[in-house]
Structures are given as structure tokens and as C-alpha cells.
Amino acid sequence: MDEQNIRKMVEQMVEQMINGGGNQVKNTTNQIPAGQATTATTTATATAVSSECLPDITKIDLKSWFLLDHAKNKEEYLHMKSKTPARLGVGRAGARYKTMSMLRVRADHAAAQDAVFSDVSEEFIKKNNFIFVKTLCKDKDEYITRPDLGRRFGKEELEIIRKTCGQNPKVLIIVGDGLSSSAIEANVEDMIPAMKQGLSMYQINVPPSLFIKYARVGAMDDVGQATDADVICMLVGERPGLVTAESMSAYICYKPKHGIPESKRTVISNIHRGGTTPVEAGAHAAELIKKMLDKKVSGIELNKV
């Protein structure tokens, strides 16, 4: 098969994917002289691409996505699927996934990669009046390969932290990009106001919030060591998966210091539109912070009092 025929075959396949036009391309091509078939198909493809927009399959709720052709009890299957975002009922084509299932997995994987390797925008940081600081990591590659550097700050950054937060503040709210910039931009603007509103009911005010670039959860210990804060709540983007790339967690700790065990941290996880909503998480975090201040403990010890 020569190059021209191969190109024509590929163009026909692209046209079919765009228009779903099964036999339309084949029939049209048969009516056109051989020398003009490639040009005609290319023109039709270009027109289809420019005039139509393919639907964004990542907007489809996985809980309602049903691709089985001959289900015996579709209603009960959908009821089961409504309880989990797991990829159930995706069907198959022979021994393989259907094309739509494969494309959705690749799209979700691409979104997860973007969340890890992209940065929270400078416009977002300025819009929310965050004070910018950075850990010892020089770039994203070092952040991923050197978690220890994502927990510490240089001298200049520590001075900014002390100047911003003061000495011995009652409560600090800090934001770290973590492993998902998408999670921060999707949730922080709703969670922090809800948290501050809840704290204001207890007459607790908080200093300006820090934004920490290349942050690991342990960065809150360095902040606590520098400021002697009573309670720190750190909002951080979690490692994205194929269900969502926008999951954030709130790590809350009483008197965080270097070497504090992980069991001392209280965590609100799965903060995103399909899990715990950011407004709900903010209200819950305010209650936990008040309880920590009263009991002077956090983590598993908070469950015992």
C-alpha cells in the first residue's frame, strides 16, 4: 500500500471519529476521482474540526456513566454505581475497553499530570492576598525527588514568615501547593472564608495567610518552630488520581514543631466538589481548631478527650 492510500485511510478514520459518519466518508470518497479523494477528505476533516467542538468527556459524572449494551437490570446497576466513582459498567469491545472508556482514562490521567507539574498561578496568589514564601526546593523536579527540602525554609523565607505571622499567634491558616495545584485553585477560595467565619464566632482572628510553594505537609512544623503558633491549619493539594485531580486536605496540629509525630495531626481529607465540600470542611475545621485550643492536643489524642 503506497503512502497516498495510507494517508487517505487515516483521514477517513479521523473523519469518522469526528462525525461518527460510518459510511459517509466511504461513499463520498467513492464518488470522487482518485486524484482528488485525499484533498476532498482533508477539506471535509478541516471543516469538521473548525466548526464543531468535541464534548469534554471529563465533565461526565462517572457515577452516571453506563456503557453496558445488554444489562439485565440497568436500574439496580445504576443504583450501585451511584455509591462510588469506581469505573463500573464501562462495557467492552471484544477483550478490550471501549474507545470512550480508554479516552476517559487517558483524559483523567492527563489532568492528574497537569495538577502535579503545573504551578498555582501568581494571579490567584495575589487575588487572595496570600504572602508568598518558598521552601528549599529549587524547582518542581527537586520538589518531587527531595521531600525533605519541601519541609524546610531558608533564612530569608523564615524572616518573612515571622514578620507576617508574628510571635505566638493563636491560629495560623497556611496554604501549600503540595502535589496538586488544581486542588488549591478549586477549593481554597471557598474554604478559607468559611473557616474564618467559624473562627470569628469564637472571637478568634487570624493573621494574613501564607502561600508556600513546593510545600510538603511537614512545612507546617518549620512554620510552627519559627512562630510558636498554638494551632496551624495547613491546606495542601493531595496526590491526584483518576477520580479527581482537585482533592485537597486540611492538616491541623496543636503546637507543631520539628520531629512531631504524624499521629499529632488531625486531617480533613477528600475536600472537593465530589467529596467533602470546601465550605463544609471550613466549618468543620473551625470547630476542630476551637477544640484543640481548649484541650491543648490534636491528632489521636484529641479523640480521647
Side-chain angles (χ1 to χ4, degrees):
M1 183 178 292
D2 59 27
E3 182 178 350
Q4 184 176 3
N5 287 330
I6 294 175
R7 177 180 295 180
K8 186 162 63 175
M9 183 183 299
V10 171
E11 289 169 344
Q12 289 177 358
M13 292 174 63
V14 172
E15 175 72 9
Q16 291 174 20
M17 290 178 64
I18 294 173
N19 289 334
N23 297 322
Q24 181 178 354
V25 173
K26 186 186 297 182
N27 294 338
T28 303
T29 305
N30 289 338
Q31 297 171 8
I32 300 173
Q36 301 177 18
T38 301
T39 303
T41 307
T42 303
T43 303
T45 303
T47 302
V49 170
S50 62
S51 63
E52 297 182 14
C53 181
L54 295 177
D56 184 357
I57 59 175
T58 64
K59 300 300 182 183
I60 303 173
D61 185 3
L62 287 173
K63 293 181 180 180
S64 63
W65 206 12
F66 192 80
L67 300 178
L68 292 181
D69 295 325
H70 305 290
K72 292 184 178 180
N73 192 337
K74 181 178 179 179
E75 290 73 20
E76 189 61 28
Y77 209 136
L78 286 171
H79 177 71
M80 178 177 64
K81 276 178 63 67
S82 69
K83 308 297 183 183
T84 174
R87 284 169 164 78
L88 303 175
V90 296
R92 61 188 177 90
R96 297 176 174 83
Y97 293 122
K98 289 188 174 183
T99 301
M100 285 293 287
S101 299
M102 182 272 292
L103 291 175
R104 178 61 187 264
V105 169
R106 294 186 67 176
D108 289 337
H109 185 256
Q113 287 183 311
D114 287 344
V116 172
F117 289 102
S118 61
D119 294 323
V120 175
S121 69
E122 293 182 7
E123 292 76 13
F124 182 86
I125 297 170
K126 292 177 181 177
K127 176 184 175 184
N128 289 279
N129 298 315
F130 295 143
I131 306 302
F132 179 88
V133 291
K134 189 174 74 169
T135 63
L136 293 175
C137 298
K138 298 182 181 66
D139 52 37
K140 186 71 74 170
D141 288 339
E142 188 169 63
Y143 167 73
I144 293 172
T145 57
R146 292 289 305 274
D148 56 318
L149 298 181
R151 304 185 186 106
R152 295 290 182 268
F153 299 93
K155 291 182 179 179
E156 293 182 0
E157 305 295 305
L158 288 173
E159 285 302 316
I160 296 174
I161 292 171
R162 293 188 185 99
K163 182 178 179 180
T164 301
C165 303
Q167 193 62 26
N168 191 221
K170 182 167 288 189
V171 177
L172 291 180
I173 299 173
I174 61 179
V175 180
D177 52 3
L179 286 168
S180 176
S181 58
S182 301
I184 298 303
E185 295 189 359
N187 300 295
V188 161
E189 289 183 309
D190 290 328
M191 182 166 177
I192 289 183
M195 201 185 318
K196 287 183 176 179
Q197 182 178 3
L199 291 173
S200 67
M201 296 175 61
Y202 305 118
Q203 287 75 51
I204 299 173
N205 297 316
V206 296
S209 297
L210 299 170
F211 173 81
I212 307 171
K213 189 172 185 177
Y214 305 141
R216 297 283 178 171
V217 173
M220 70 190 300
D221 301 342
D222 220 14
V223 175
Q225 191 81 24
T227 63
D228 195 29
D230 287 340
V231 173
I232 294 181
C233 176
M234 182 175 184
L235 310 181
V236 63
E238 292 288 14
R239 181 183 294 107
L242 294 179
V243 172
T244 179
E246 297 182 348
S247 182
M248 184 178 75
S249 287
Y251 290 82
I252 315 172
C253 187
Y254 181 78
K255 291 288 187 182
K257 303 287 187 195
H258 293 161
I260 194 171
E262 294 301 313
S263 60
K264 298 283 187 180
R265 307 189 206 277
T266 297
V267 185
I268 305 173
S269 60
N270 292 311
I271 302 171
H272 58 90
R273 60 184 176 181
T276 302
T277 63
V279 172
E280 179 185 355
H284 183 43
E287 294 177 357
L288 286 174
I289 290 171
K290 180 61 167 62
K291 187 176 180 180
M292 290 177 190
L293 291 170
D294 291 342
K295 304 299 182 181
K296 301 187 186 313
V297 292
S298 58
I300 60 174
E301 293 180 2
L302 191 66
N303 299 326
K304 300 176 183 179
V305 296

